[in-house]
Amino acid sequence: MAALIQHTWVRQGHNLLITGATGTGKTWLACALGHQACRQGLSVRYLRLPRLFEELRIRHGDGSFGRYLSALAKVDLIILDDWGLAPMGAEGVRDLLEIIDDRVNQRATLITSQLPVNHWHEYLGEPTVADAVLDRLLQSAHRLELKGDSLRRHRDGRDTQKVDPS
């Protein structure tokens, strides 16, 4: 963790993949690392994947897609949250390849996902494009798998899964 907080991986254009079950703190940790990167003078952009794909669809339609990709390529650290929660679709997978390809070995990408990395190829769907995306993401990636119970269950002192409905 100490090495991650220093953000050398960001400056070197490496990636960080944080996986784990719902509620284990993936988003919290990603945002904490993003805030720390900002404090160190690095630019950071947080994007939830479902909303990103809607944004990209709109930008394809209004002609601003290329400018948006150029802007994302300049950000030191992009946090892509909720990888694998919703289907990407063929266009989304191709757009993701464009984003990742612009960043490979130059800018860092942090991904949070409930899906273990070994299921990502299947999730992406299109085998050729999935190969390209994962090759670029995994070649210089640090992996962090969070384990344990949901932190949300214990936030208010109650275990919400043991509530009696009667």
Side-chain angles (χ1 to χ4, degrees):
M1 274 314 287
L4 292 177
I5 292 171
Q6 293 175 9
H7 291 89
T8 305
W9 61 279
V10 175
R11 289 182 183 87
Q12 293 173 342
H14 293 179
N15 301 318
L16 175 59
L17 313 176
I18 304 175
T19 57
T22 299
T24 54
K26 299 176 300 292
T27 299
W28 183 89
L29 181 57
C31 289
L33 289 168
H35 283 283
Q36 183 64 22
C38 288
R39 290 184 184 138
Q40 294 181 8
L42 300 167
S43 58
V44 178
R45 184 83 189 262
Y46 171 88
L47 302 163
R48 286 192 62 249
L49 274 180
R51 290 183 182 163
L52 171 63
F53 291 123
E54 179 62 20
E55 177 76 18
L56 293 172
R57 188 187 63 74
I58 292 167
R59 289 184 178 273
H60 275 291
D62 71 11
S64 64
F65 180 74
R67 286 190 308 274
Y68 189 65
L69 286 185
S70 294
L72 290 178
K74 295 174 185 172
V75 177
D76 294 317
L77 172 61
I78 290 182
I79 299 169
L80 299 177
D81 195 16
D82 290 334
W83 175 283
L85 280 186
M88 283 189 200
E91 184 176 43
V93 174
R94 287 189 302 273
D95 288 348
L96 181 65
L97 175 59
E98 293 300 319
I99 292 168
I100 300 301
D101 192 53
D102 286 346
R103 306 180 61 72
V104 69
N105 294 323
Q106 296 176 34
R107 305 281 188 215
T109 303
L110 188 161
I111 295 176
T112 69
S113 180
Q114 293 179 35
L115 286 177
V117 174
N118 62 347
H119 292 289
W120 288 10
H121 196 278
E122 180 183 334
Y123 166 68
L124 292 171
E126 299 203 8
T128 305
V129 181
D131 285 346
V133 168
L134 294 178
D135 180 64
R136 287 159 176 79
L137 277 177
L138 300 177
Q139 71 176 347
S140 61
H142 305 273
R143 295 185 191 189
L144 186 58
E145 183 179 352
L146 303 182
K147 297 182 186 247
D149 292 334
S150 173
L151 299 174
R152 290 183 190 100
R153 280 190 221 147
H154 306 289
R155 183 174 30 206
D156 65 1
R158 294 181 298 155
D159 187 342
T160 57
Q161 286 195 345
K162 293 184 180 176
V163 173
D164 185 356
S166 55

